[in-house]
Amino acid sequence: MKRYSLPRQFRALPGCLAGVVVLFALSVSAQAQNIEGTYTGEFFSHSIVSTYKLTATEYSETVLFSIFNDQIGGNDIVYDLSEKTQSVPVKMEGGRIQFKLPFEPPSLVFEGDKIIATGPGGVDVWERVP
C-alpha cells in the first residue's frame, strides 16, 4: 500500500491553520458587542387559522380564529373566535388556477410548482419544495 504525505514545508500547515482560526475566534469574541437587553417598539401582526376547499369552480375558506395586533395604530389586540366562511370563484385555464382570497387582499395564481400572490404590497412568489 502506498502512503502519501505532505512535503516537509507543509507538514506544520494544519496546526498553523488551527492556531490562526483560534486566534481569529478569540479576536472576534473580544470585539463582539453585548446585545442583551429589552428592545421596545410597536407591533403589527395578523394571524389566521383556516380550513379551505378548492374545486374547479370555487375556493371556500372558513376562518377558525384570528388574532389581530395593531399597536402601531394604537389598537388593542383583537381575538376573533367566530367561524366565518366565504367563497370566491376560481378561474382554471391552461394548467393555471387563479382566485382572490376571500378575507385578505392578495390574488393567487397556482402555476406549475409556483404560487404567485399579488396584493397592495407587491408580489410574492413561492416554489414547491420537492
Side-chain angles (χ1 to χ4, degrees), residues 81-102:
L81 303 175
S82 62
E83 292 188 15
K84 297 178 217 163
T85 301
Q86 287 187 13
S87 298
V88 294
V90 168
K91 181 181 177 184
M92 292 183 134
E93 185 178 338
R96 290 171 51 124
I97 303 170
Q98 186 174 352
F99 57 92
K100 184 199 169 301
L101 292 174

Side-chain angles (χ1 to χ4, degrees), residues 9-70:
Q9 61 269 30
F10 294 113
R11 287 185 186 160
L13 187 60
C16 290
L17 286 176
V20 169
V21 169
V22 169
L23 289 175
F24 179 74
L26 290 173
S27 171
V28 169
S29 67
Q31 296 173 4
Q33 282 185 292
N34 180 359
I35 59 171
E36 276 187 49
T38 302
Y39 296 85
T40 59
E42 295 174 327
F43 303 105
F44 180 92
S45 66
H46 190 192
S47 300
I48 300 171
V49 175
S50 298
T51 60
Y52 66 90
K53 182 178 178 182
L54 178 63
T55 69
T57 58
E58 183 177 81
Y59 171 83
S60 179
E61 183 175 348
T62 299
V63 175
L64 303 175
F65 66 89
S66 68
I67 302 169
F68 187 67
N69 182 0
D70 182 13

